[in-house]
Amino acid sequence: MPGGAAELRINGARLLDSIACLAEIGATPEGGAERLAFTPEDGAGRDLVRSWMEDAGLDIRVDGIGNVIGRRAGEDPDAAPVMLGSHTDTVGNGGRYDGNLGVLAALEVGRTLNDRDIRTRRPLEVAIFSNEEGSRYHPDMLGSLVYAGGLDLESAWALRSPDGTRTLKEELEAIGYLGEAPVPGPVPAAYVELHIEQGPVLEAEGIDFGAVTGVQGILWEEITLSGKANHAGTTPMRFRHDAGVVAADAVLLARQLTREIPGQVATVGRMSFAPGLTNVVPGRAVFTLDIRNPDPDRLRRAEDGFFSGLEAAAGREGVRIERRELARFGPAVFDEKVIALVEEAAAALGGSCRRMPSGAGHDAQMMSRVCPTGMVFVPSVGGVSHNPTEFTRDEDVTAGGNALLTVAFALLKS
Ligand code: HGY
Ligand code: MN
Ligand code: MN
């Protein structure tokens, strides 16, 4: 077995090239990518990465929720694998690194072991998890949630497309990823995910790597407000039941909570009025709420505070509230051993490192339910993500790949 971890480095140019090639699928004018889960673009992105997995000699399996897992055999066929992965679906008008870096760096680990003809005790598995973003189907992290046994396949298959015309199962079939492999999936010995930080911390502190300690709790809801459509000119203000006004209150209420509750973030990302005409008082408003906090008690306080405030605003306006929960996940805590391996990898690579929680959700959040899990963060320029200008410097991409390789190699030998 030529070479040990000390000399083991990925082919950074190959990883960067893979990122650039994948970004051409669903490419957007501003240099980002859009491959919404279970759309033809998502299917094409999977097809491309799957072909690279096959070229690398990985044995491919596709499970019932469309997760694609490529396996590189280990010397001990009975040993549980080390799984590396992330996602290749994106948000609308998203970036080229979110998720894609983690999948392609995982593949690069396999390619590097192949280049050096290194056999490992444990098998290596490279995973593309379905619908991490939750842009069209909820909840997010759906593929890894099903893989980890957090949602049954029938319920996931029955989810309906945003326009209600198709089921998730029909869309999976349409893109050729309604697989046979069983879920919940086999439990790995460990799961490690490389991801861009998607926030400003590493860049601001001039730190090379994040050793991620866990993921904050999250609640997503879709709220429908029903008032009374009426004439914008003739309806006296005191007679109005304006769903739009209550929706506006909701946005400001969400922001106010973040001023009152430590560590609280809140976002109203989508809002629509009906009938949505200049001269009609909005009879209906639909909006989404995304609230997150690393502390579960504070997250609950934010949820209670938001909805009691919304009830009061709706009561004043004579508007009715309907709630639909889209995602609710408690905070995830990563494995101390894996976190320490990330810190050791950073040191071995001569990089600086800090422990930090993740503000974003990740597939690692779900895999931490079933096996020792950790993540490696690399800096996001300007802290920007979920935006076509999302950028991570080439040297940080390569460093992240080497950190993932170093952590994986230690686990593959264990
Ligand atoms: O919403 C999130 O944090 C992730 O991008 N799905
Ligand atoms: Mn992601
Ligand atoms: Mn994302």
Side-chain angles (χ1 to χ4, degrees):
M1 181 180 71
E7 304 81 57
L8 214 49
R9 293 289 181 269
I10 65 160
N11 179 330
R14 181 170 57 192
L15 173 54
L16 290 163
D17 181 58
S18 300
I19 292 170
C21 285
L22 179 54
E24 286 170 21
I25 298 178
T28 53
E30 308 96 309
E34 181 163 303
R35 295 190 301 274
L36 297 175
F38 310 127
T39 61
E41 292 78 17
D42 179 24
R46 292 159 176 265
D47 292 345
L48 178 62
V49 179
R50 175 180 181 155
S51 70
W52 290 338
M53 287 182 174
E54 287 160 349
D55 295 346
L58 304 186
D59 290 326
I60 308 289
R61 68 180 190 271
V62 180
D63 68 21
I65 195 65
N67 297 321
V68 182
I69 293 136
R71 184 183 176 99
R72 182 179 191 269
E75 289 170 327
D76 178 352
D78 301 327
V82 173
M83 183 184 275
L84 313 175
S86 193
H87 59 95
T88 57
D89 67 301
T90 73
V91 292
N93 199 21
R96 58 174 56 196
Y97 298 92
D98 178 357
N100 304 312
L101 172 61
V103 171
L104 297 175
L107 173 62
E108 178 56 32
V109 168
R111 285 166 161 172
T112 300
L113 295 176
N114 288 345
D115 291 349
R116 301 284 293 274
D117 191 22
I118 291 177
R119 304 314 308 164
T120 58
R121 182 176 91 81
R122 293 185 179 281
L124 168 71
E125 291 195 339
V126 175
I128 306 172
F129 285 114
S130 292
N131 189 36
E132 190 278 344
E133 293 295 1
S135 297
R136 300 180 63 242
Y137 288 92
H138 309 107
D140 55 347
M141 285 82 74
L142 182 65
S144 47
L145 178 68
V146 170
Y147 188 95
L151 180 67
D152 67 279
L153 199 49
E154 294 299 331
S155 302
W157 279 348
L159 293 171
R160 301 203 71 86
S161 56
D163 64 6
T165 58
R166 291 177 308 284
T167 63
L168 186 153
K169 185 175 184 180
E170 287 164 345
E171 291 201 343
L172 259 183
E173 199 150 31
I175 63 170
Y177 282 91
L178 181 62
E180 303 284 323
V183 286
V187 177
Y191 175 80
V192 190
E193 181 168 353
L194 170 63
H195 207 287
I196 53 173
E197 178 202 340
Q198 301 181 287
V201 173
L202 292 177
E203 184 185 56
E205 297 182 5
I207 292 179
D208 302 310
F209 301 103
V212 188
T213 53
V215 179
Q216 64 179 338
I218 185 173
L219 170 65
W220 282 4
E221 291 208 15
E222 180 184 75
I223 292 122
T224 300
L225 302 173
S226 302
K228 187 172 174 23
N230 219 326
H231 195 294
T234 58
T235 311
M237 296 315 287
R238 67 184 185 284
F239 289 161
R240 294 188 181 204
H241 303 293
D242 185 333
V245 168
V246 179
D249 284 338
V251 177
L252 298 175
L253 180 57
R255 177 58 63 94
Q256 181 55 30
L257 286 169
T258 66
R259 297 186 185 104
E260 296 164 4
I261 301 173
Q264 189 61 44
V265 291
T267 311
V268 174
R270 168 169 59 88
M271 180 174 280
S272 62
F273 290 173
L277 298 171
T278 307
N279 59 355
V280 182
V281 174
R284 215 165 85 100
V286 181
F287 66 91
T288 57
L289 177 73
D290 174 324
I291 54 174
R292 310 188 195 199
N293 198 305
D295 178 315
D297 296 334
R298 287 174 175 166
L299 185 55
R300 170 65 68 183
R301 190 177 137 205
E303 177 184 357
D304 295 346
F306 179 82
F307 286 104
S308 57
L310 188 65
E311 297 281 345
R316 288 191 298 272
E317 191 69 23
V319 163
R320 195 163 40 83
I321 299 170
E322 289 164 84
R323 298 173 57 171
R324 183 162 74 99
E325 186 175 290
L326 304 177
R328 183 188 293 267
F329 299 125
V333 179
F334 289 160
D335 179 84
E336 179 53 39
K337 181 171 165 248
V338 181
I339 297 168
L341 282 174
V342 173
E343 292 176 312
E344 289 162 25
L349 293 165
S352 54
C353 184
R354 60 157 287 172
R355 292 190 175 212
M356 59 194 296
S358 174
H362 297 289
D363 293 308
Q365 184 170 1
M366 300 307 157
M367 294 307 288
S368 67
R369 297 182 177 198
V370 295
C371 69
T373 294
M375 292 185 75
V376 182
F377 274 175
V378 287
S380 290
V381 171
V384 172
S385 183
H386 284 189
N387 179 309
T389 64
E390 176 182 282
F391 182 66
T392 290
R393 297 179 312 159
D394 290 357
E395 52 269 42
D396 291 330
V397 166
T398 302
N402 282 321
L404 184 70
L405 172 61
T406 306
V407 173
F409 193 67
L411 292 165
L412 287 162
K413 293 189 301 184
S414 65

